[in-house]
Amino acid sequence: MTTTTSGTGWAVEAQGLVKTFGDNRAVDGIDLRIRTGAVYGFLGPNGAGKTTTIRMLATLLRPDAGTATVFGRDVAREAQAVRQLIGVTGQYASVDESLSATENLVLFGRLLGLSRRDARRTAAALLDEFGLGEAAARPLKNFSGGMRRRLDLAASLIARPPLIFLDEPTTGLDPRTRLQMWDTVRRLVDGGSTVLLTTQYLDEADQLAERIAVIDRGRLVAEGTGAELKASVGTSRIQVGLAEERDEDEARRIARAVLGVDVARTPDGRLSAPVATADAAGDLLVALRQAGIHLTEVGVQQPTLDEVFLTITGHAADAARTPEEVLA
Amino acid sequence: MTTLTTDRPAPRAGGAPVDGPALAAAVSTHVPLATTVRQSLTMGWRGLLKIRRTPEQLVDVTLQPIIFTLMFTYIFGGAIAGDVGSYLPFFIPGILVQTVITTSVVTGVQLREDMDKGVFDRFRSLPIARIAPLAGALLADTVRYAIATTLTLVMGLIMGWRPDGGFVGVVSAGLLVILCAWALSWIFAFFGVIARSASSVQGISMIVLFPLTFASNAFVPADTMPSWLKGFVDVNPVSHLVTAARELTLSGSWTVDALWALLGAAVVVAVFAPLTVRAYMRKA
């Protein structure tokens, strides 16, 4: 919303980011441009390099190659300036387990230069906002995963940073807490913040993100709006099982003609193709019927992350098997 | 909007929209010294809260002074000084230095454990002085040194030690030892930052600790030692610290040894504080 004044107007700009752990290229040349005031989603399986990329942008890891800026300030050369522009919420809660929720927020507020009184007031306001008011004085040991996650996010918002990194903010949360987290993200953006979030869930990226980068094996394999990505995968997939295996070539030809896309073969021998609309699925079934091709089964599925990957990368998501990202 | 060298712009607690580009143009990469000190004190406050929450961490600084002081007094006393009573004025300052410095090893071990937790990730991502989380942890640990110091001195008094240096002399000796232990704890903090695990910190630290404390005049006069060892004992800053503490408790007078001890402490901080911060930043 506010693409003003200095620099390029991009909240994040990265060129050729590389990070290697041993002989594993966790991030292998990623270019990024993230608009100010938007939610940007990193979508990819475990070990794809999402967290490593975020850690480089958040000054927690030094890139082995490439450059990145946050609102025009270089993450490697001007790390201290960048840290004043960002809030980081990790995959696991980065709060002090031995302190209470209030003490945590007061600690971070004081470190950020708030007076004792302002730190207390901000802490109380944030705890209320995140529904943690009642648990404020309790030790964190008794906090649930969702409460920890909310406290962690609250801690990232003390300074109202213009750029917020959320690394898998809803992984492991129950559906209700997940929706609350989505609301929070939307409110942040309404307040003018830019949010960069990673997720393993297509629907989450779709719900929240203006643009989505699909990351696989340390590379950015696709980038665009949710609609653009879905157009490439189909909003859903139709899967058909053929009664006669010899019909396969003819069925593929018909599907290509009707749907305008190539057909994939699932491991259990069914044919699978993206369909943009429910009507397209109907058209295909009618065409197959007219050609006298008999089916044993028909199913229409919402696209899964696996299928996004299958379509974009040509291999299944779980085949992107790189070692767990090194966090230390 | 162009407060380039002062503190960061105060965070807006209200609902004002954040203007990233404008803020980006205003923020500075420099953390002023006063801010660094304040942030270190805030981190020290965190350390104190942690100690209050987990008082079992204080076991070493409460039990060790009591046991060591009792044990060594009765083991060495008769053999070295003829009787326990005449050994105490010589021994109490020695065991004080030994105990408090041993305590400072735990600083490195606990720092390592602390750094393995998620909260250090947040400290790294905050726009605070890099040294603050380390300095704060070390600062809070002076509380541990103060407890060890007090208990050692009280044990001595219970066993019949009557220091001629008086209250001021004894307190001065205690403060001098605490200050030097804080300086030495930077060595162990450095091991804490570079080591892979807390137990390896303990291991490396002991290798430094034992020659430093035992090859000194803390327990016995150096006169009977072979000349090569006496040579080391004479330059060992711990010896100077022990002698300084001894003079303070015996007569209440500051000697040149106190100066050497403080100089040694300053050198240790000057060398190990930057090394530690550099290693910490490389990990960050």
Side-chain angles (χ1 to χ4, degrees), chain B residues 108-192:
Chain B
V109 177
Q110 288 184 350
L111 187 64
R112 174 72 266 161
E113 286 172 354
D114 210 16
M115 282 177 63
D116 289 337
K117 290 177 188 150
V119 70
F120 259 74
D121 251 10
R122 184 172 296 284
F123 294 147
R124 289 193 182 106
S125 76
L126 287 178
I128 55 174
R130 298 292 91 184
I131 195 176
L134 304 171
L138 268 52
L139 220 50
D141 268 357
T142 54
V143 170
R144 297 161 45 79
Y145 311 153
I147 294 172
T149 301
T150 310
L151 284 178
T152 305
L153 296 175
V154 168
M155 277 309 293
L157 292 172
I158 291 173
M159 287 189 295
W161 177 51
R162 295 294 174 265
D164 294 329
F167 181 73
V168 176
V170 170
V171 170
S172 307
L175 290 176
L176 180 69
V177 171
I178 291 172
L179 183 72
C180 291
W182 178 82
L184 282 179
S185 71
W186 279 103
I187 300 179
F188 306 120
F190 175 66
F191 295 147

Side-chain angles (χ1 to χ4, degrees), chain A residues 262-278:
Chain A
D262 277 333
V263 179
R265 197 163 194 277
T266 65
D268 54 2
R270 287 174 297 173
L271 296 181
S272 170
V275 286
T277 63

Side-chain angles (χ1 to χ4, degrees), chain B residues 87-256:
Chain B
Y87 185 49
L88 283 173
F90 178 85
F91 176 69
I92 291 295
I95 191 70
L96 173 69
V97 170
Q98 209 269 345
T99 302
V100 178
I101 290 179
T102 305
T103 300
S104 71
V105 169
V106 179
T107 298
V109 177
Q110 288 184 350
L111 187 64
R112 174 72 266 161
E113 286 172 354
D114 210 16
M115 282 177 63
D116 289 337
K117 290 177 188 150
V119 70
F120 259 74
D121 251 10
R122 184 172 296 284
F123 294 147
R124 289 193 182 106
S125 76
L126 287 178
I128 55 174
R130 298 292 91 184
I131 195 176
L134 304 171
L138 268 52
L139 220 50
D141 268 357
T142 54
V143 170
R144 297 161 45 79
Y145 311 153
I147 294 172
T149 301
T150 310
L151 284 178
T152 305
L153 296 175
V154 168
M155 277 309 293
L157 292 172
I158 291 173
M159 287 189 295
W161 177 51
R162 295 294 174 265
D164 294 329
F167 181 73
V168 176
V170 170
V171 170
S172 307
L175 290 176
L176 180 69
V177 171
I178 291 172
L179 183 72
C180 291
W182 178 82
L184 282 179
S185 71
W186 279 103
I187 300 179
F188 306 120
F190 175 66
F191 295 147
V193 173
I194 60 168
R196 272 171 196 275
S197 70
S199 55
S200 61
V201 179
Q202 181 92 24
I204 318 169
S205 299
M206 285 302 167
I207 292 170
V208 175
L209 182 77
F210 276 112
L212 218 51
T213 52
F214 280 96
S216 75
N217 59 358
F219 303 105
V220 293
D223 306 330
T224 60
M225 297 178 190
S227 58
W228 58 269
L229 183 57
K230 188 170 183 304
F232 175 76
V233 169
D234 286 345
V235 294
N236 185 351
V238 172
S239 298
H240 290 291
L241 179 58
V242 170
T243 308
R246 224 167 248 160
E247 292 302 325
L248 279 166
T249 52
L250 280 176
S251 62
S253 57
W254 291 88
T255 58
V256 70

Side-chain angles (χ1 to χ4, degrees), chain A residues 2 4-6 36 55 58-62 70-71 73 77-78 80-81 83-86 88-89 92-96 98-100 103-104 106-108 110-114 122 152-153 155-156 158-162 191-193 328, chain B residues 7-31 35 38-40 42-43 45-46 49-50 52-54 114 117-130 132 283-284:
Chain A
T2 43
T4 51
T5 62
S6 66
T36 302
R55 289 179 67 85
T59 76
L60 293 173
L61 271 181
R62 200 166 263 275
V70 169
F71 296 108
R73 307 296 290 256
R77 279 183 293 108
E78 302 176 287
Q80 197 65 11
R83 291 186 189 115
Q84 296 177 61
L85 304 168
I86 60 171
V88 188
T89 300
Y92 48 91
S94 32
V95 286
D96 197 325
S98 48
L99 307 187
S100 75
E103 285 164 350
N104 262 291
V106 169
L107 169 68
F108 299 129
R110 295 281 290 150
L111 288 174
L112 289 166
L114 294 181
T122 309
D152 201 15
L153 181 54
S156 304
I158 293 171
R160 295 185 56 79
S193 298
Chain B
D7 229 336
R8 66 180 271 122
R12 293 121 303 178
V18 276
D19 184 352
L23 187 61
V27 290
S28 156
T29 55
H30 175 70
V31 183
T35 312
R38 196 173 44 70
Q39 287 163 351
S40 301
T42 303
M43 293 299 300
W45 171 71
R46 165 183 178 263
L49 281 178
K50 273 171 61 103
R52 220 172 61 191
R53 284 297 136 72
T54 46
D114 210 16
K117 290 177 188 150
V119 70
F120 259 74
D121 251 10
R122 184 172 296 284
F123 294 147
R124 289 193 182 106
S125 76
L126 287 178
I128 55 174
R130 298 292 91 184
K283 289 223 166 179

Side-chain angles (χ1 to χ4, degrees), chain A residues 207-281:
Chain A
Q207 284 282 333
L208 294 174
E210 181 193 75
R211 292 186 79 81
I212 298 167
V214 181
I215 298 185
D216 179 44
R217 297 181 183 180
R219 292 183 163 277
L220 202 149
V221 291
E223 206 259 3
T225 64
E228 286 166 358
L229 283 179
K230 270 191 275 180
S232 72
V233 197
T235 47
S236 6
R237 290 185 80 90
I238 184 167
Q239 295 197 338
V240 298
L242 301 178
E244 306 284 345
E245 215 165 298
R246 61 188 152 77
D247 288 338
E248 183 174 331
D249 288 342
E250 178 69 358
R252 279 177 178 273
R253 196 190 54 76
I254 293 171
R256 200 175 303 124
V258 173
L259 301 173
V261 290
D262 277 333
V263 179
R265 197 163 194 277
T266 65
D268 54 2
R270 287 174 297 173
L271 296 181
S272 170
V275 286
T277 63
D279 278 350

